[in-house]
Amino acid sequence: MSKLPTVCLLACALSAAGAALARPQTLEDGVQLRWNADQYGNHRYTVEVAKPAPAVQVTIPWHRRDRHPEDVATLVVGPDGKAVGNVLRERIDQAEGMLAFEAKQAGTYAIYYQPYVSTGSRNYPTVTYRAPAGSADAAWVKRNRLDDPRHAAKLPQARVIGYQAVDDFDAYTDMERTATPTGVQRLLAANPDRPWLLFPETREHPIRMFSQIPGRWAGRGAGGDLADHALRGEYLSFQVGLWTARAAARDVQVRFGDLHGPGGATIPATRFTCFNLGGIDYAGKPFTDRLDVAQGRVQPLWMGLDIPADARPGIYRGTLTVSADGARPREVPLAITVDTGEAVAHGDDDPYRLTRLRWLNSTLAQDDTLVKPFTAVTVHGHRLGILGRTVTLAPSGLPAQIDSRFDERMTGFAKTPRALLAAPMRLLVQDAGGAHAMNAGGTPKIAVDGPGKVHWQVAGQAGPLRGEVTASLEMDGTLSYAIALTAMQAVKLNDIRLEIPLKGDVAQYELGLGRTGAPAPDSYAWKWNVQNNQDGAWIGAVNAGLEFHLRDEHYRRPLNTNFYHQQPLVMPSSWDNAGQGGITLTRDGARYVVKAFSGARTMAAGQTLHYDLVLRVTPFKTIDPPQHFAERYFHKYADLDQIKAEGANVVNIHHATPINPWINYPFLTPAAMKAYIDAAHARGMEVKIYDTIRELSDRAPELPMLESLVGCRIGGDGKAAPGPCSEVISPGKGGGFSWLQEHLDGDYIAAWHVPENRDAAVVDAGQSRWHNYYIEGLDWLARNVGIDGLYLDDVAYDRTTMKRVRKVLDAHRPHALIDLHSASQFDARDGYVNSALLYMGLFPYLDRLWFGEEFDYEHTSPAYWLTEISGIPYGLMGEMLQNGGNPWRGMVFGMTNRLPWTGGDPRHLWQLWDAFGIGQADMIGWWVHDTPVKTGNPDVLATSYVRKGDKTLVSVASWAPRKVDVQLHVDWKALGLDPSRVRVVAPAVEGFQPAATFRPGEAIPVEPGKGWLIELDAVH
């Protein structure tokens, strides 16, 4: 989601049909009352007053889940819609509220009991609940003797009609109506010797409270069986609530038995899952969670049963057993009736049935197969080949050389490769005896995992340390290193460092380490700082570059886009070394040396440090300008015929629209979405939807279950891993929109909110099983709804998930498209990280960029445009957003803005493209050393769109501080044109340039920050 209201203009725009979601309530007696939630809150009881009275009394059995209702106001509104002034709060607690109020007329009164005030921005609101205010007049209290409880009890009693919420979604469920103190005591008395109690529940009653129990449990008692129905082939989800009433439950375990059915039929225990105790992580690896439940907590244990499609109909009985350290195990009888019908797709077509919980452990597209356009990794000894690049390994397992065969135009490959390294990379351990390079006794042995990946292992030594290197290379150019250095005896070290000696001519540009994209500095020093989301950089030229990141075994992807400081970068203890580590960049003659040092330290015998490293070799792929120019984006939900008439053919559908109402949960209006997409396909258009992972709508039916996924991750060594205990929902201070505060237990980060349809979201963790669900969801959408791709808006997931996204979309859609938008992350709130660097691992699997709000198109250099915005050095092209961008500068990178965004209109440029025939032209950028058209002024750049032998369109843009005159220096032979038979014409383009004609070699005036599109046409 974007950070500023720029995007909100469209992101939050709803049609009238989509906005009216908070509907009026019809009461039992036929009286219809509307209310404004921002004025009165979301909840009320209505009461009937039989006849007017100076004062009446009512007791509201609200069973509230908010812990301190005495601190929250109550508002009484009469039948005339006016607030009642004289209201006395006689007793307010969680169980009930006793009020006395003045009733000047008979009829229905509404008592609103959680009124709030919303402040802050519309998309990140701050909701605070109104404090009680003394509204009762003292004379009224005295006159009606309300200060005398005995007299107050004799007042006329208003009859409670019932509870209503502002809409069905905001209503409290029976699982959120708390037990009374008396009910709790009765329940405990009935179970005197049990430290914790179990409460089976079907999926229809998801547990919503984790620090108190519902009245439903107190009423029926603990224990009992779990009885439910399911179809053959259905995935049945259910829960067992564990309440630690008297003591904590440590190391909770669940054991399943076989289910036995009719005629000796059996459903084996292996078809059960307890999601809270482990599963398959986002990277496809099995994991186990240790679950400890503190005293007084309620822990939902969510189970799944995969019922065989050929199961014999009937009742299947068995048990599950819940155990914990120091307590007697408890059994829960199961009685599952398998009906005669057969579920379609396990029941996944209905999200409310929660069959999709099985998706949390999915491994779909978790493999090493190829993704277009990448080619299989080739192995020739210690030389590895991938698309356009080769990596030659040194005996240490690190790269000895990296070569790129991409040409400068970025549309093909050069005959002569370009070497990136001036010398092999080295990992050095320095002690009193000098610097010792990591070495090994031979060439690394390469193992092939699949066409898209190979790996190798190296064991060696670096001075006093034993080294073990585990590394891999994937088809996209990502090298991943896990480097473990172990002290064979206690040792004192001066430094452990990595040296990356790049060739000087390759190190043209640099971004990262607190610097925006610019020419690579001759000298620069950087230190670790948790306030900054920085652990590496990219250095390179357009057709040859290297990205690097320094990490350790505890790396966890930080939160991004407004939330970095709530889950920041985990400082790698190896590289950081308590603040001693850092990086220096130094231009040294023909070399450009990156030194990542960690400083002096001592190591105990047997101690291991992890110096992990991620490298990415750029470019990832070639660009395809004709394809880019052919795809015209319309970034708004609108009438398809109108969109087509505007000249666009790809539609991005945001959330907060009638066919995609809820942020990052596009499953609740599939019929409407499919109808729109089918209609688009009939018109030769494509439709992509907003769906990403960074926040999750409160409308997701799985949300209560996701709240329950807490526990300490247990690694392969049997030790708990560091990090938050909440798996999917990022822990935080709560707050935000009213629904979140009223229905979640407070341990979350409030995210994007759309006022028009009251959609509120919470922040997702950067790495969790929700990624597995997301991949399955995209597969479902591609198969059942026909989406043509995704619009990604500042995503939180990493390259592992991005690969899977690409695979599932390509598997079902003939021309799947993925574009990524980012607001600039280079600010204090986001840890001064470059958006290009933050998302570079995703770039191989994207089709275009849209960078974005807060990017400065006016006061930044061509180097910044090239490396931070355009995407070209990485194999992508893009578009502009903030204030419509700068159309003149944009065109030298092949960029316009999008329809229908304010601040710019690309339609007139599109028309020029079509009139010129830009789809038949070769794009030769200003960065190409032998570009055929130059201006002679380093502040005025020219990119040529060449239809050789026919005509060329020259895009000229100025970065000069004032108006300048330039001449076009043209290599006519390269264009296939005769300068004596050429017209030099600037066609009129509304909002861009007036019509003009120039003679070859004539001075062309260029205004600061502007430019020209000039056609060089052959005269026949």
Side-chain angles (χ1 to χ4, degrees):
M1 199 67 248
S2 306
K3 295 193 283 186
L4 294 180
T6 312
V7 157
C8 190
L9 293 174
L10 288 182
C12 303
L14 284 170
S15 70
L21 295 174
R23 56 190 180 278
Q25 300 289 319
T26 301
L27 306 184
E28 294 174 7
D29 59 1
V31 176
Q32 190 177 76
L33 297 176
R34 298 174 179 267
W35 82 81
N36 178 358
D38 289 335
Q39 181 179 5
Y40 295 117
N42 302 318
H43 310 279
R44 72 181 183 191
Y45 270 82
T46 49
V47 301
E48 184 70 22
V49 174
K51 59 184 179 180
V56 299
Q57 189 183 64
V58 67
T59 300
I60 306 295
W62 45 37
H63 294 268
R64 290 165 66 159
R65 65 174 293 176
D66 52 324
R67 282 291 195 176
H68 296 286
E70 70 276 9
D71 296 334
V72 181
T74 46
L75 305 177
V76 180
V77 176
D80 57 1
K82 296 179 181 179
V84 175
N86 284 320
V87 178
L88 181 67
R89 291 155 50 99
E90 298 181 90
R91 185 180 72 253
I92 302 291
D93 55 36
Q94 281 191 283
E96 60 187 20
M98 181 180 289
L99 309 175
F101 62 89
E102 185 176 20
K104 293 183 178 180
Q105 53 187 310
T108 302
Y109 286 71
I111 299 173
Y112 300 92
Y113 61 92
Q114 283 188 283
Y116 59 80
V117 176
S118 182
T119 58
S121 70
R122 67 194 305 274
N123 300 117
Y124 291 100
T126 298
V127 168
T128 53
Y129 288 84
R130 296 177 185 267
S135 64
D137 180 69
W140 173 77
V141 172
K142 184 176 183 180
R143 184 167 58 251
N144 291 283
R145 299 172 61 187
L146 298 178
D147 51 356
D148 182 350
R150 291 172 299 177
H151 182 76
K154 299 176 182 178
L155 292 175
Q157 297 295 303
R159 180 177 64 88
V160 176
I161 298 174
Y163 161 81
Q164 297 92 36
V166 71
D167 64 25
D168 291 343
F169 183 68
D170 279 89
Y172 287 127
T173 69
D174 60 349
M175 299 301 291
E176 296 173 282
R177 295 177 60 80
T178 57
T180 65
T182 300
V184 171
Q185 289 306 314
R186 214 169 24 238
L187 181 61
L188 292 174
N191 300 275
D193 300 323
R194 296 187 180 182
W196 38 264
L197 305 177
L198 300 179
F199 300 88
E201 289 285 0
T202 64
R203 58 192 167 188
E204 287 81 11
H205 300 276
I207 298 168
R208 309 298 292 261
M209 299 186 298
F210 303 142
S211 59
Q212 48 198 335
I213 66 168
R216 171 186 174 92
W217 289 359
R220 79 168 193 227
D225 64 352
L226 187 287
D228 209 345
H229 284 252
L231 298 171
R232 292 183 299 155
E234 183 175 355
Y235 194 84
L236 178 66
S237 299
F238 61 93
Q239 321 147 82
V240 174
L242 186 157
W243 178 36
T244 52
R246 295 186 175 92
R250 305 195 183 280
D251 195 13
V252 175
Q253 298 291 326
V254 178
R255 187 175 70 252
F256 300 99
D258 294 342
L259 296 180
H260 300 283
T266 300
I267 298 178
T270 54
R271 300 187 78 92
F272 281 96
T273 295
C274 179
F275 294 99
N276 300 83
L277 300 181
I280 307 296
D281 72 10
Y282 82 102
K285 299 176 181 178
F287 72 91
T288 300
D289 274 346
R290 175 187 169 101
L291 182 60
D292 296 328
V293 186
Q295 182 178 349
R297 298 288 293 176
V298 174
Q299 174 61 55
L301 298 171
W302 276 91
M303 323 289 186
L305 172 60
D306 190 6
I307 296 174
D310 60 355
R312 181 177 297 179
I315 300 176
Y316 288 75
R317 299 185 185 277
T319 60
L320 65 83
T321 303
V322 180
S323 62
D325 288 351
R328 185 167 64 85
R330 298 287 178 187
E331 289 188 349
V332 177
L334 303 176
I336 308 300
T337 300
V338 177
D339 295 327
T340 56
E342 187 170 343
V344 176
H346 300 276
D348 294 345
D349 294 348
D350 181 1
Y352 293 103
R353 293 184 67 79
L354 298 183
T355 65
R356 297 180 177 195
L357 294 186
R358 57 186 258 282
W359 290 359
L360 291 172
N361 291 325
S362 171
T363 58
L364 179 64
Q366 194 76 264
D367 53 44
D368 296 311
T369 58
L370 292 178
V371 174
K372 296 183 296 184
F374 299 110
T375 54
V377 183
T378 60
V379 181
H380 298 286
H382 58 286
R383 186 179 176 89
L384 309 176
I386 54 176
L387 178 70
R389 293 147 291 172
T390 57
V391 177
T392 303
L393 298 178
S396 65
L398 292 168
Q401 186 55 271
I402 301 172
D403 295 291
S404 170
R405 291 190 298 106
F406 289 91
D407 63 28
E408 286 184 299
R409 297 186 183 190
M410 283 299 298
T411 55
F413 302 99
K415 293 182 179 179
T416 303
R418 185 172 190 175
L420 274 70
L421 299 180
M425 293 186 192
R426 297 192 302 169
L427 185 67
L428 297 167
V429 175
Q430 187 167 346
D431 60 10
H436 312 278
M438 169 75 180
N439 60 64
T443 303
K445 292 181 173 56
I446 315 298
V448 177
D449 300 292
K453 182 182 178 183
V454 300
H455 77 271
W456 57 97
Q457 292 178 310
V458 170
Q461 190 165 335
L465 304 184
R466 183 176 70 250
E468 295 182 0
V469 177
T470 301
S472 64
L473 172 66
E474 298 190 47
M475 58 189 165
D476 59 9
T478 297
L479 288 143
S480 300
Y481 284 88
I483 303 174
L485 298 179
T486 302
M488 294 177 282
Q489 60 186 23
V491 63
K492 185 176 182 179
L493 303 174
N494 297 327
D495 193 17
I496 300 175
R497 66 181 179 271
L498 173 73
E499 293 184 356
I500 306 176
L502 293 164
K503 293 179 73 70
D505 66 323
V506 166
Q508 296 178 18
Y509 306 104
E510 184 270 341
L511 60 85
L513 303 179
R515 286 171 43 87
T516 56
D522 291 339
S523 179
Y524 184 68
W526 172 89
K527 298 283 284 184
W528 291 93
N529 183 350
V530 72
Q531 299 301 313
N532 297 330
N533 189 5
Q534 299 166 11
D535 64 1
W538 173 86
I539 303 171
V542 172
N543 63 333
L546 187 67
E547 177 194 10
F548 66 90
H549 296 276
L550 310 177
R551 293 168 182 171
D552 70 4
E553 77 276 27
H554 297 310
Y555 175 78
R556 181 184 73 228
R557 187 173 177 85
L559 298 180
N560 62 294
T561 316
N562 303 329
F563 306 111
Y564 169 73
H565 293 284
Q566 299 190 60
Q567 185 180 302
L569 186 68
V570 177
M571 295 289 101
S573 59
S574 53
W575 295 105
D576 172 47
N577 191 16
Q580 295 189 78
I583 296 172
T584 61
L585 310 176
T586 307
R587 192 173 293 279
D588 181 13
R591 295 157 55 105
Y592 193 86
V593 181
V594 179
K595 288 186 180 179
F597 60 91
S598 58
R601 71 193 327 146
T602 57
M603 293 180 67
Q607 181 183 355
T608 298
L609 294 172
H610 295 266
Y611 281 81
D612 294 353
L613 173 68
V614 175
L615 302 171
R616 276 187 265 274
V617 186
T618 64
F620 301 115
K621 53 190 176 182
T622 57
I623 60 173
D624 187 351
Q627 184 68 39
H628 173 78
F629 295 131
E631 294 161 2
R632 315 280 171 86
Y633 273 65
F634 192 93
H635 198 88
K636 185 181 180 182
Y637 172 80
D639 178 79
L640 289 167
D641 290 327
Q642 172 198 340
I643 294 172
K644 189 170 185 178
E646 300 281 7
N649 52 25
V650 180
V651 188
N652 272 0
I653 302 297
H654 251 281
H655 67 97
T657 52
I659 65 171
N660 191 19
W662 317 116
I663 188 168
N664 298 333
Y665 200 84
F667 303 113
L668 301 184
T669 56
M673 184 181 290
K674 186 177 189 306
Y676 187 88
I677 292 173
D678 288 347
H681 290 168
R683 291 163 171 80
M685 302 163 69
E686 293 178 282
V687 178
K688 299 161 54 257
I689 66 166
Y690 184 115
D691 183 23
T692 180
I693 289 177
R694 194 185 70 225
E695 59 247 296
L696 176 64
S697 172
D698 56 4
R699 305 283 169 155
E702 294 87 358
L703 189 58
M705 182 273 182
L706 300 180
E707 274 197 286
S708 79
L709 295 179
V710 295
C712 295
R713 185 63 49 86
I714 304 301
D717 57 1
K719 297 180 180 179
C725 289
S726 179
E727 182 187 352
V728 175
I729 308 302
S730 290
K733 61 183 179 181
F737 185 57
S738 59
W739 192 95
L740 304 178
Q741 298 195 47
E742 292 167 7
H743 296 278
L744 302 182
D745 249 28
D747 194 14
Y748 61 88
I749 301 171
W752 194 258
H753 165 59
V754 181
E756 289 84 354
N757 66 347
R758 295 169 60 81
D759 184 24
V762 294
V763 173
D764 298 336
Q767 299 172 173
S768 78
R769 278 184 290 174
W770 192 245
H771 295 197
N772 297 334
Y773 184 105
Y774 175 72
I775 294 300
E776 286 278 1
L778 293 180
D779 182 78
W780 188 92
L781 289 164
R783 287 186 290 105
N784 294 283
V785 180
I787 62 170
D788 294 299
L790 290 176
Y791 164 59
L792 301 178
D793 190 355
D794 273 324
V795 297
Y797 53 73
D798 66 0
R799 176 180 151 277
T800 298
T801 299
M802 189 73 246
K803 275 191 304 181
R804 300 172 70 191
V805 168
R806 184 84 254 178
K807 289 176 182 179
V808 298
L809 291 177
D810 283 349
H812 301 293
R813 305 307 304 152
H815 184 230
L817 295 171
I818 306 173
D819 67 310
L820 170 67
H821 160 262
S822 178
S824 174
Q825 310 282 303
F826 201 83
D827 54 37
R829 178 173 51 188
D830 298 302
Y832 291 104
V833 64
N834 318 73
S835 292
L837 196 62
L838 178 65
Y839 296 123
M840 201 171 291
L842 279 56
F843 284 3
Y845 307 102
L846 302 177
D847 295 287
R848 73 171 63 196
L849 301 178
W850 194 27
F851 286 3
E853 291 101 332
E854 300 180 4
F855 279 91
D856 186 350
Y857 302 115
E858 303 299 333
H859 306 98
T860 48
S861 69
Y864 177 89
W865 275 75
L866 181 66
T867 60
E868 294 265 11
I869 299 174
S870 76
I872 288 170
Y874 322 113
L876 290 169
M877 297 181 73
E879 290 163 309
M880 303 173 291
L881 191 155
Q882 183 76 46
N883 300 324
N886 182 307
W888 302 277
R889 293 176 177 177
M891 271 305 300
V892 301
F893 299 96
M895 303 167 70
T896 66
N897 65 327
R898 287 184 179 178
L899 278 178
W901 292 80
T902 57
D905 185 345
R907 289 176 297 176
H908 306 294
L909 286 172
W910 292 352
Q911 292 165 5
L912 173 63
W913 292 356
D914 293 337
F916 168 73
I918 202 168
Q920 290 77 53
D922 294 325
M923 179 180 173
I924 307 176
W926 59 266
W927 52 87
V928 178
H929 78 278
D930 60 350
T931 185
V933 182
K934 301 177 181 179
T935 69
N937 186 325
D939 293 327
V940 182
L941 304 178
T943 289
S944 303
Y945 299 91
V946 180
R947 297 181 56 172
K948 190 171 182 179
D950 182 11
K951 54 186 176 181
T952 290
L953 180 68
V954 181
S955 172
V956 176
S958 176
W959 276 263
R962 57 188 62 87
K963 181 179 178 180
V964 296
D965 292 335
V966 299
Q967 290 180 310
L968 298 184
H969 303 278
V970 182
D971 182 345
W972 296 104
K973 183 178 180 180
L975 300 183
L977 297 176
D978 180 351
S980 66
R981 301 179 61 80
V982 168
R983 293 186 311 126
V984 182
V985 177
V989 180
E990 184 178 330
F992 188 93
Q993 68 186 22
T997 301
F998 305 99
R999 296 185 305 276
E1002 180 183 353
I1004 299 172
V1006 185
E1007 297 288 339
K1010 295 187 177 182
W1012 293 90
L1013 282 171
I1014 299 172
E1015 289 189 16
L1016 310 179
D1017 291 348
V1019 178
H1020 299 291

